[in-house]
Amino acid sequence: MKRRDALKLGFGAAGATVAATQAGAVEIEQWPDNAAEGLTQSGLVFPDTFQPSIVTDPSPFVEPFTAPLNIMPLAEPVDPDTLDPAPEPARHQRYDDFPPQKFYQEVLSEFRWKYHWQPPYGDGTPDVVGKDGDPDIGSWHWGFNGITPGETYHARYGEPVFLRRINMLPVVGAGKVQFALPSPTIHLHNAHTASESDGIPQDFFNPGEFWDHHYANFPAGSPNGWSAYNTEIMNTLWYHDHRLDFTATNVYAGFSGFYLLFDERDSGNERDRNRRAFRLPSGKYDIPLILHDVQFTADGQARWDFFLPDNGDQPNPEPRPSPVDVGNSQGAPDTFDSNRLQYTTQGMIGDMVTVNRIITPYLDVDRRKYRFRFLNGGPSRLYRLRLRIVPGDGGDPYYDDWIVLSNDGNLLEAPLVESTLSLWVANRFDVIVDFSKYSDGDKIQVWNDLEIRDDGAGPTGYMLDDENMMPVMEFRAKGEKVDDPSRIPARMRELPEIDMSEVRRERLFVFDYDNGLWTVNGRLMDPNRVDAKIEQGSAEIWTFRNEGNAWAHPVHTHFEEFQILEINGRPPSAVERSRKDVVSLGPGDEVTFYSHWRDFFGKHVMHCHNVVHEDHAMMIRWDIVEPGQGD
């Protein structure tokens, strides 16, 4: 029997339930009343005869690896007395328990940004990128304190942070960035943070307003202190826009950045004399790298469209004579008229890969170890990254391995040697690259060999060969070997123990496509509807199921990490056996994991991090409630 048939017979009908198997668990409703016969959509309805803009009108070409990498500056604290009005502790859970030790302020604004030094992206001055050079040249952009990505935060466990974000964007219709909405909400992904500071989709603020965030910076489940061997320490986090219905466009417009957490083991000091310290590469040898793929107009402006609705080349599809049955769970027909053909709900991919918002940059590196923190910032493209070595002496190129330290924001139990990095949207991998083994003049290049559908919905199932791989960035080994006190530790973070006796619920979430929109358990996102009430302090087992055979969903759940129990009936691999916050849910996949919900109350979300899917409207709301008030 196929799983889809089992869905219909077992729990696809209205009011069906799934029973938890752990001691003390009870039956819970998993399916909305309006889901009739299960989700039977077998494919996307987007017409195959139309091609997206990256095919019909590609971005202006520049030679890869000719623009310098942008490395974001570190955020600097401000004097709390300069904040006007002063912070209001009563607006934040546990503010007095974790009084801020550092205060920051960000201004969100619109400005020009040079993605490359060559025209039409820049003013033609070699190596002049970003905010430098002619202020009247560059793509109109949004960002934090005048840059994109935003400043990198170096935070520490035990040092709570207060951060005020001030919206100085132009009002709707007044700005140069026309595809985004100037009412953001900034989410710190995947911080252990109270709801009111999390940056959930409902908490947006308009031009002229501000939003205050309190980041307590303590490990999940350990608010009263922790040891050096705490198993729930995080390291690589990031912040990005999460505005309801406009996350994809607002992140694309520039709202993303890094927030790095350190403790006494991952201390950010490669010369640390503490015997417990990992002594990973630090300072200028610890570099965060965020990938965004972008599409550009002929004059070098970042654009968000699928069929060029803003430059006069309109599609002219033949309208359907009558609505057709597309097999959604409600049985509703779909006209899919010509107006809808000018926008995609499947995904948005660009033909230029940017790293830290520079098109395929290069970086001169010393011949020693570096720590790179790779992040896929979206909106929709998935990557499989490879290291290609081009010897400086003219020898044949070859491929080398990555030394992998982390999966998502959490260090592994031990470093792994991997030939590729599967980087889905919002995934992070910290890696070590030891340039001491390469020669002066060698070029160490990063390429993507994962082919994705032109509509951005998911992978094609094929890999790109050497001639067709996408360039990402290049490292250039320079000079003699240098002193390198950093290390690659033999062991890192042990995993928390999984205690099945704590499990109170099992929940099933089915991801599908219905009538042109993306659903979870047959429903669209409603921020006023609570889809799961989770009792504080409890553990649950969640299963994610992808009912599609042509699309992929990097699914993110806020607030706490989880541990994968099973992927399509098999145990997780070595790199999957970690604490994670994003599930890579490929076509037909089913993933089950274990997680806790502790320390705070309030509303949060779970959603697809192909943020075009999130915006249309593949997301649920779940709340942490008092014990005894759960569903």
Side-chain angles (χ1 to χ4, degrees):
M1 179 182 291
K2 294 182 179 180
R3 189 180 69 221
R4 186 182 306 278
D5 295 329
L7 261 176
K8 295 180 183 178
L9 294 174
F11 51 83
T17 61
V18 173
T21 58
Q22 277 64 42
V26 299
E27 291 187 343
I28 57 171
E29 183 176 291
Q30 294 291 347
W31 216 251
D33 291 339
N34 65 348
E37 290 294 331
L39 302 181
T40 60
Q41 177 70 32
S42 61
L44 298 178
V45 297
F46 204 85
D48 294 332
T49 55
F50 289 91
Q51 293 179 310
S53 302
I54 61 167
V55 176
T56 60
D57 188 25
S59 301
F61 175 79
V62 293
E63 185 179 355
F65 314 139
T66 58
L69 176 70
N70 166 46
I71 298 178
M72 294 75 71
L74 298 184
E76 295 291 337
V78 300
D79 183 345
D81 292 337
T82 64
L83 297 176
D84 185 18
E88 296 184 47
R91 292 183 176 271
H92 304 275
Q93 294 180 60
R94 311 195 68 175
Y95 189 98
D96 292 335
D97 294 339
F98 302 96
Q101 297 183 25
K102 290 183 177 179
F103 295 77
Y104 296 89
Q105 181 169 281
E106 290 176 350
V107 175
L108 284 62
S109 65
E110 185 175 82
F111 48 84
R112 284 188 181 268
W113 183 261
K114 297 176 183 64
Y115 275 92
H116 202 279
W117 63 270
Q118 294 176 349
Y121 306 100
D123 59 17
T125 306
D127 287 351
V128 174
V129 296
K131 289 292 292 291
D132 295 335
D134 190 331
D136 296 324
I137 292 179
S139 177
W140 285 103
H141 224 275
W142 289 355
F144 305 93
N145 290 345
I147 62 172
T148 181
E151 296 160 324
T152 298
Y153 286 84
H154 276 199
R156 303 195 69 85
Y157 279 102
E159 284 187 355
V161 162
F162 179 91
L163 171 56
R164 172 167 293 170
R165 292 185 166 104
I166 303 173
N167 186 350
M168 297 299 292
L169 294 168
V171 298
V172 174
K176 301 294 185 180
V177 176
Q178 294 290 311
F179 54 78
L181 193 67
S183 53
T185 172
I186 307 302
H187 168 53
L188 182 53
H189 177 131
N190 186 50
H192 191 62
T193 301
S195 173
E196 66 276 1
S197 294
D198 188 48
I200 58 175
Q202 307 94 305
D203 288 349
F204 52 86
F205 55 111
N206 297 311
E209 299 176 340
F210 65 88
W211 196 280
D212 288 345
H213 303 258
H214 173 237
Y215 301 139
N217 289 343
F218 67 83
S222 302
N224 299 316
W226 57 91
S227 74
Y229 298 98
N230 186 283
T231 58
E232 304 209 40
I233 297 290
M234 296 184 287
N235 49 283
T236 301
L237 290 75
W238 66 300
Y239 57 98
H240 63 83
D241 182 84
H242 214 320
R243 208 283 186 197
L244 185 68
D245 300 335
F246 286 87
T247 294
T249 52
N250 287 10
V251 173
Y252 193 82
F255 285 146
S256 60
F258 281 92
Y259 185 97
L260 310 182
L261 271 167
F262 298 92
D263 71 309
E264 62 179 296
R265 304 200 73 196
D266 186 9
S267 65
N269 180 6
E270 63 188 32
R271 298 182 183 273
D272 197 327
R273 294 186 178 184
N274 177 1
R275 63 181 179 83
R276 296 170 172 171
F278 296 135
R279 291 178 55 180
L280 296 168
S282 65
K284 68 177 184 178
Y285 302 110
D286 178 1
I287 301 176
L289 304 169
I290 182 169
L291 279 58
H292 291 283
D293 56 312
V294 183
Q295 182 184 174
F296 295 93
T297 62
D299 59 355
Q301 295 296 309
R303 71 182 179 201
W304 179 276
D305 65 57
F306 203 65
F307 285 120
L308 313 180
D310 60 354
N311 76 348
D313 188 9
Q314 303 286 354
N316 187 27
E318 294 183 6
R320 290 177 175 172
S322 61
V324 297
D325 180 9
V326 296
N328 59 73
S329 64
Q330 290 79 30
D334 189 351
T335 59
F336 208 77
D337 59 50
S338 59
N339 288 331
R340 280 179 54 197
L341 290 178
Q342 299 182 29
Y343 192 81
T344 176
T345 63
Q346 272 73 280
M348 177 66 193
I349 60 171
D351 53 0
M352 290 291 183
V353 177
T354 75
V355 182
N356 295 353
R357 298 286 182 174
I358 305 297
I359 298 172
T360 55
Y362 73 86
L363 176 68
D364 292 332
V365 294
D366 294 333
R367 293 177 57 205
R368 53 150 288 163
K369 293 188 289 297
Y370 280 70
R371 177 182 188 174
F372 296 111
R373 303 177 189 244
F374 280 96
L375 158 65
N376 181 353
S380 303
R381 183 180 291 278
L382 315 179
Y383 301 88
R384 198 178 80 151
L385 301 182
R386 303 185 68 185
L387 271 181
R388 185 173 186 264
I389 314 306
V390 181
D393 61 7
D396 292 336
Y398 62 95
Y399 292 97
D400 210 343
D401 293 326
W402 303 98
I403 301 173
V404 179
L405 300 176
S406 72
N407 187 344
D408 289 344
N410 313 286
L411 291 176
L412 301 169
E413 292 182 296
L416 300 173
V417 176
E418 299 285 336
S419 60
T420 61
L421 297 179
S422 292
L423 199 67
W424 288 33
V425 184
N427 277 148
R428 287 92 71 210
F429 282 101
D430 287 19
V431 301
I432 295 285
V433 179
D434 188 352
F435 296 107
S436 67
K437 64 180 180 178
Y438 306 119
S439 299
D440 177 31
D442 286 357
K443 296 178 179 178
I444 301 87
Q445 298 173 345
V446 183
W447 291 79
N448 169 47
D449 72 358
L450 181 62
E451 184 177 78
I452 193 169
R453 297 166 54 109
D454 287 339
D455 62 12
T460 64
Y462 295 96
M463 297 300 165
L464 302 170
D465 58 25
D466 286 0
E467 298 300 319
N468 293 301
M469 288 194 303
M470 296 186 70
V472 177
M473 70 174 302
E474 178 180 88
F475 304 110
R476 300 174 179 177
K478 297 285 188 179
E480 301 295 325
K481 293 182 180 180
V482 299
D483 176 55
D484 184 3
S486 68
R487 296 177 179 175
I488 302 174
R491 298 291 297 176
M492 294 185 295
R493 304 278 189 207
E494 300 301 319
L495 287 171
E497 292 186 5
I498 294 176
D499 186 353
M500 288 296 185
S501 68
E502 297 180 349
V503 173
R504 182 179 169 274
R505 290 285 187 273
E506 288 189 358
R507 302 182 193 264
L508 171 69
F509 298 100
V510 177
F511 296 77
D512 211 336
Y513 182 86
D514 297 288
N515 206 33
L517 295 173
W518 301 94
T519 60
V520 181
N521 286 356
R523 284 175 161 173
L524 302 177
M525 170 61 171
D526 180 350
N528 297 312
R529 183 189 68 234
V530 182
D531 294 295
K533 296 179 181 179
I534 305 169
E535 296 190 3
Q536 187 197 55
S538 68
E540 297 192 355
I541 292 176
W542 287 12
T543 296
F544 292 166
R545 177 178 294 161
N546 186 352
E547 274 300 294
N549 57 18
W551 51 77
H553 303 300
V555 183
H556 169 52
T557 183
H558 286 209
F559 188 67
E560 285 215 30
E561 288 71 51
F562 50 79
Q563 291 172 256
I564 294 175
L565 301 175
E566 192 174 83
I567 301 174
N568 298 331
R570 65 164 175 84
S573 67
V575 75
E576 294 163 339
R577 189 177 178 272
S578 65
R579 292 183 302 117
K580 287 181 58 59
D581 56 63
V582 178
V583 169
S584 297
L585 199 63
D589 281 351
E590 183 170 298
V591 178
T592 299
F593 65 77
Y594 169 98
S595 188
H596 278 103
W597 284 264
R598 296 165 288 187
D599 303 316
F600 294 103
F601 296 100
K603 54 186 181 291
H604 293 272
V605 294
M606 176 269 284
H607 59 90
C608 179
H609 225 297
N610 176 336
V611 279
V612 177
H613 295 182
E614 173 196 321
D615 289 341
H616 299 93
M618 188 172 265
M619 180 160 55
I620 69 162
R621 170 184 163 182
W622 54 265
D623 287 13
I624 303 175
V625 299
E626 295 276 2
Q629 297 182 6
D631 56 8

